[in-house]
Amino acid sequence: MPQKKTVKVSSETPWSEDKLLEALSPARKTDLEVEKRLSKLGPEYTALFVVDSEKIQAAKTSILRLFIKNGLKGTIVSIGVPGKKILSQLKETNTPSDSLSIIDASPAKEDGETDKQITLLGEQEDLSTLFSEVEKKISEKNSNGFLMFDSLNALLVYNEEKGVEKFFHTLVSKLQGSGVKTIILAIDSKKGENTVKTIGNFCDSVEKI
């Protein structure tokens, strides 16, 4: 009687992308997901990243790390997190932050806080001053490789929806042809959902993580 053949499954059989992601830590998953989304965008863009609330911190850090790793100098506009804390978070992940400028419009910033990388703004409601500071940064050669807003939702806490929509519409128009890679972060939430959709229409791409 002929013997049955056995098929040996190679331990080197490649895993599917989904299986690989399942085996990774949450932070590493976010890193790969962010890198994949950014890699498909061009040399200049404005992209709205709509992120799950539990991933927003990891997504922000991943994007900053990737930009800095690629030798880009740029600016983050922080509405909810103090500038000092952002620098501390990058230090925890061994990410150099010398090439990063921060416009700190957070309510929790420390009084008298001084740092050459951080520009302090007084009022979150003052969109005109915020726009002027952003304009100044994107005109500087040492900080105009990328621009990140963290976050759209935080800005909506202090401002009317129409005002925020007008702010981003004017900004996106201003950025066209500038060569700046711009990321607008938004938390995936029902609150402010219509404004997020409207601003997404101004952008080159909307990415959901």
Side-chain angles (χ1 to χ4, degrees):
M1 179 182 295
Q3 291 184 342
K4 291 183 179 179
K5 291 183 179 180
T6 58
V7 178
K8 184 178 180 181
V9 178
S10 170
S11 60
E12 297 180 358
T13 300
W15 286 11
S16 68
E17 184 177 346
D18 289 342
K19 191 174 180 181
L20 280 170
L21 284 174
E22 286 177 7
L24 296 171
S25 67
R28 185 57 184 145
K29 285 181 188 177
T30 303
D31 282 346
L32 291 176
E33 202 166 355
V34 163
E35 189 167 0
K36 181 179 178 181
R37 302 302 178 92
L38 291 180
S39 67
K40 72 178 187 179
L41 301 174
E44 173 193 324
Y45 53 79
T46 298
L48 174 64
F49 272 61
V50 183
V51 188
D52 183 274
S53 60
E54 295 181 359
K55 295 181 180 179
I56 190 75
Q57 174 56 46
K60 177 181 71 177
T61 304
S62 293
I63 293 168
L64 288 175
R65 275 206 312 262
L66 190 60
F67 282 154
I68 292 170
K69 177 184 174 183
N70 290 336
L72 293 176
K73 297 179 179 181
T75 301
I76 179 170
V77 181
S78 184
I79 310 299
V81 180
K84 286 282 190 182
K85 186 171 182 179
I86 293 172
L87 294 177
S88 176
Q89 290 167 342
L90 289 173
K91 187 176 181 180
E92 288 172 4
T93 60
N94 298 315
T95 304
S97 59
D98 295 345
S99 59
L100 181 67
S101 295
I102 301 171
I103 297 175
D104 184 350
S106 68
K109 54 184 172 286
E110 299 173 15
D111 292 335
E113 180 179 30
T114 57
D115 193 296
K116 63 180 182 179
Q117 292 174 257
I118 301 173
T119 300
L120 298 177
L121 291 189
E123 300 292 336
Q124 295 80 16
E125 300 90 342
D126 189 355
L127 293 178
S128 296
T129 300
L130 178 59
F131 191 89
S132 296
E133 286 298 330
V134 173
E135 265 193 315
K136 192 184 301 181
K137 288 298 181 184
I138 61 178
S139 68
E140 296 173 0
K141 289 185 178 179
N142 65 341
S143 59
N144 67 354
F146 68 86
L147 176 66
M148 179 190 287
F149 274 86
D150 177 29
S151 65
L152 174 53
N153 307 72
L155 204 57
L156 284 170
V157 171
Y158 305 100
N159 297 275
E160 296 293 329
E161 292 184 354
K162 292 299 180 184
V164 173
E165 289 171 8
K166 182 179 179 181
F167 174 88
F168 279 107
H169 184 268
T170 306
L171 179 65
V172 171
S173 299
K174 178 80 176 178
L175 287 165
Q176 289 179 354
S178 67
V180 178
K181 302 177 190 295
T182 304
I183 301 289
I184 303 169
L185 291 176
I187 295 172
D188 191 1
S189 170
K190 289 291 183 185
K191 191 173 182 179
E193 184 179 37
N194 291 334
T195 302
V196 171
K197 286 180 179 177
T198 298
I199 292 172
N201 291 331
F202 308 152
C203 299
D204 301 307
S205 178
V206 177
E207 307 293 334
K208 194 166 182 177
I209 298 179

